[in-house]
Amino acid sequence: MDDAYWGGKKNDGIRGRGATGKTPFVASISLTDKGHPVKMRLSRVTGFTKQELKAWAKKHLSPKTLVVSDGLNCFPAVKKADCKHEPIISRTDNGYDEYGVFKWVNVMIGNVKNALHGTYHHVSPRHLPRYLAKFCYRFNRRFDLHTMVDRLAYVAMRTPPMPQRLLKLAEVRW
């Protein structure tokens, strides 16, 4: 699990986590016993606070899940969602993860950002969750490509029409 940011102003002199206009999101990867990625979740959050991460963990993680994260002070809040938390603070001289624990989550964050930058002229913070969800959907179903058309037809047949005003209401909370 790691913290990530999208966007931000480029010319205000502030860089990194504190830059204005950045949209924070949580990146989490589920790994096999051999360390290969199985599933991923990218979720926009209002900020990296303990309350926000506790709510996120209760919604998206199963109880007793082992969460490995860096030393950001909000991540221990996953314990309140009945998860185990193991912070690993490791950096080598060149800034990479010495133990390889965060390899896949960093690869996924990089892939998502490059895909968004390379495909779209502009991604509004308001619509960022939809773009992140699309990327996760494709990644999480990459081994079941032969069933994709069947799943699409199944969902399309059971989804009622949705007026645009109701779609907009779903985004008002952000």
Side-chain angles (χ1 to χ4, degrees):
M1 178 182 223
D2 205 1
D3 58 315
Y5 296 86
W6 174 258
K9 293 185 180 178
K10 297 183 184 210
N11 298 325
D12 66 351
I14 301 172
R15 296 176 57 149
R17 282 192 176 119
T20 47
K22 286 194 176 272
T23 304
F25 65 95
V26 173
S28 61
I29 305 292
S30 175
L31 301 174
T32 65
D33 293 336
K34 293 182 179 181
H36 299 290
V38 179
K39 302 269 186 189
M40 69 186 274
R41 174 164 299 277
L42 304 171
S43 305
R44 182 176 61 178
V45 292
T46 56
F48 288 103
T49 64
K50 289 181 180 180
Q51 297 84 3
E52 187 76 18
L53 266 289
K54 174 185 162 188
W56 182 88
K58 283 187 176 186
K59 183 176 181 182
H60 299 294
L61 298 178
S62 301
K64 308 295 182 210
T65 298
L66 173 62
V67 176
V68 178
S69 70
D70 58 11
L72 193 62
N73 66 354
C74 64
F75 286 131
V78 299
K79 291 180 184 177
K80 294 180 180 171
D82 201 24
C83 294
K84 299 172 191 169
H85 180 247
E86 185 175 331
I88 295 180
I89 303 169
S90 64
R91 291 182 68 85
T92 60
D93 293 339
N94 60 3
Y96 290 104
D97 175 21
E98 166 180 17
Y99 302 109
V101 175
F102 301 110
K103 173 188 169 188
W104 285 112
V105 73
N106 290 331
V107 165
M108 294 303 164
I109 291 170
N111 287 349
V112 167
K113 288 183 176 184
N114 284 331
L116 291 175
H117 279 296
T119 306
Y120 305 105
H121 293 288
H122 174 73
V123 175
S124 166
R126 179 178 168 190
H127 298 292
L128 182 62
R130 291 181 187 203
Y131 292 101
L132 297 176
K134 181 177 101 171
F135 197 89
C136 290
Y137 184 87
R138 284 195 330 242
F139 181 83
N140 293 341
R141 289 157 182 82
R142 68 194 182 282
F143 297 121
D144 295 327
L145 295 177
H146 62 282
T147 64
M148 192 173 285
V149 174
D150 295 336
R151 281 195 315 265
L152 176 64
Y154 177 84
V155 171
M157 294 297 294
R158 284 160 180 77
T159 303
M162 180 81 55
Q164 185 176 3
R165 64 181 174 77
L166 293 178
L167 287 174
K168 286 184 177 182
L169 284 176
E171 297 170 349
V172 169
R173 141 187 149 124
W174 299 99

